[in-house]
Amino acid sequence: MAAGRVIVAHLGSGASMCALANGRSVESTMGFTALDGIPMGTRPGQIDPGVLLYLLSEKGMTPAAVQDLLYHDSGLKGLSGISNDMRDLQSSSDPRARLAIDYFVYRVGLNAGMLAAALGGLDAFVFTAGIGENAPTIRARIAEKLAWLGVLFDPAANTAGKSLISRPDSRVVLLVVPTDEELMIAQHTLVLLPKLGAKKAAEERLAT
């Protein structure tokens, strides 16, 4: 699948989606900061800049207060008024929790369409991170949003926690892949350290 057109949906407290063409990122839901894109645990995702102007000019909020709101009290937490944890929202009967979940699913589906357009089609869609790996109900609802792209969902495989959750005849492969961010950071660090060592040695030689 690395050689095809793939969307990776990193769905957790922090959430983003990336379009990969032959293993290379060509588009992402992230913007200048991690606030943009799809809604997250406490961050809003895409938001009309006019909202920020309204908060500053009409509500008299300070820039620091707006920043705190955007980073710590928006997203699932802000929409539900209950929690930033998808598990809490799924177990709640509060209609605000349902609103937050509905909005999350809708925005993931919407952004999948954008990323598929950037790729010119889609061969695979990957769920990962806390929600993507551990919330089969959310995966099922998102899969419904992807049907128009050619996804044929396998409910039994999804419920059983399989890594492949699309049917054999699905035009788009649907996968669940665990995230190991710590391992990736360590691997990149090991690659970088020798280069830094060589640079330092060269600088020391030039200084003598």
Side-chain angles (χ1 to χ4, degrees), residues 124-174:
F125 187 97
V126 178
F127 289 99
T128 191
I131 298 172
E133 294 172 38
N134 302 302
T137 304
I138 301 299
R139 290 198 301 264
R141 292 189 57 183
I142 292 172
E144 290 179 9
K145 300 287 185 183
L146 305 177
W148 69 277
L149 288 166
V151 168
L152 295 177
F153 181 59
D154 186 337
N158 180 54
T159 303
K162 302 291 187 181
S163 58
L164 176 64
I165 59 172
S166 55
R167 287 171 19 196
D169 54 340
S170 179
R171 190 164 71 244
V172 175
V173 175
L174 213 54

Side-chain angles (χ1 to χ4, degrees), residues 104-125:
F104 179 81
V105 170
Y106 173 74
R107 296 299 299 189
V108 171
L110 196 67
N111 280 269
M114 176 192 75
L115 296 177
L119 291 167
L122 190 62
D123 299 311
F125 187 97

Side-chain angles (χ1 to χ4, degrees), residues 3 13 15 19 25 32 36 41 48 51 72 89 91 93 105 109 119 121-122 152 158 167 181-182 194:
S13 184
S25 172
F32 178 69
D36 202 7
D48 181 350
V51 172
H72 304 295
L89 300 181
S91 63
S93 59
V105 170
L119 291 167
L122 190 62
L152 295 177
N158 180 54
R167 287 171 19 196
E181 294 170 291
E182 292 82 3

Side-chain angles (χ1 to χ4, degrees), residues 15-17 28-40 43-47 103 107-108 111 114:
S16 66
M17 297 168 65
S28 170
T29 57
M30 288 290 191
F32 178 69
T33 70
L35 288 173
D36 202 7
I38 56 180
M40 302 168 228
R43 288 171 280 181
Q46 183 180 2
I47 189 170
Y103 183 72
R107 296 299 299 189
V108 171
N111 280 269
M114 176 192 75

